[in-house]
Amino acid sequence: MMSSSEHPLTLVLVGPMAAGKTSVGRKVARLLDVPFTDTDKRVAAEHGPIPVIFAEHGETHFRELEREAVATAVGQGGVVSLGGGAVMDADTRALLHRHPVVFLTVSPDAVERRIGGAGRPLLAGQDDPLERWRTIFDQRRGWYEEVADLTVDTSRRPMRALAEEIADWRRNQQ
């Protein structure tokens, strides 16, 4: 591949909750033959479940752990999927400007089918989780667009096709 141990191939995926960053990211990593890191999973593995971190220590503490996880993962290379709120941090955005970044966007209709289940502390206990998702996405959209080199809508296309498009795009980056 076009990477070396000194400068490993890196590709960062950003976007809102339920955009498919983890699913697409795993497939892209396989296609590029590089490691895959989900920074939310890394934080959870090292510090415990994210909903518990939010409940016991607050969002600010979680964001500090997230910033560290993002910096470590990006430094190691491969395909890195960031939690939806990671772009809120100015230091993280500055770091992302030095790497190829894909913004995975998604329609509210597609999100409605995807946001079931637990593990999304910012949607927990909401009367209308979809409306809360829209508010959060609207607040963060500018940051996603700021760091993105490519934007891909995941609403209706098969994950495999999305992954192939992103992997092909990354192979053509210098």
Side-chain angles (χ1 to χ4, degrees):
M1 179 102 273
M2 51 189 235
S3 61
S4 71
S5 57
E6 249 182 82
H7 299 287
L9 179 141
T10 303
L11 173 67
V12 181
L13 302 178
V14 300
M17 290 177 270
K21 298 178 298 289
T22 300
S23 300
V24 171
R26 279 194 186 108
K27 289 174 176 43
V28 172
R30 277 196 294 275
L31 291 168
L32 294 174
D33 194 27
V34 297
F36 172 73
T37 303
D38 177 315
T39 59
D40 278 351
K41 287 187 177 25
R42 177 172 280 187
V43 169
E46 293 176 5
H47 303 282
I50 292 172
V52 174
I53 296 170
F54 266 73
E56 293 181 0
H57 304 286
E59 184 175 357
T60 301
H61 179 69
F62 169 74
R63 297 295 174 201
E64 291 168 6
L65 299 174
E66 179 178 57
R67 181 183 321 109
E68 294 167 11
V70 169
T72 300
V74 170
Q76 292 171 339
V79 175
V80 181
S81 168
L82 272 54
V87 296
M88 294 168 30
D89 182 76
D91 291 340
T92 296
R93 290 194 309 276
L95 174 67
L96 297 181
H97 284 299
R98 301 194 303 264
H99 298 279
V101 177
V102 178
F103 167 25
L104 298 183
T105 190
V106 62
S107 71
D109 291 343
V111 165
E112 194 166 28
R113 294 187 302 270
R114 297 177 187 177
I115 60 174
R120 300 188 189 273
L122 292 177
L123 300 182
Q126 297 293 316
D127 290 336
D128 187 347
L130 184 59
E131 186 56 36
R132 176 72 176 135
W133 177 89
R134 285 178 208 237
T135 300
I136 292 168
F137 183 44
D138 288 344
Q139 290 168 345
R140 297 174 181 173
R141 182 190 314 259
W143 289 316
Y144 297 137
E145 292 169 347
E146 173 191 329
V147 299
D149 299 299
L150 174 70
T151 299
V152 176
D153 190 314
T154 67
S155 302
R156 291 182 175 77
R157 293 176 52 212
M159 291 293 173
R160 178 74 188 185
L162 296 166
E164 288 171 356
E165 175 186 337
I166 293 166
D168 288 345
W169 174 82
R170 180 59 184 94
R171 285 185 195 105
N172 292 316
Q173 298 301 298
Q174 295 304 322

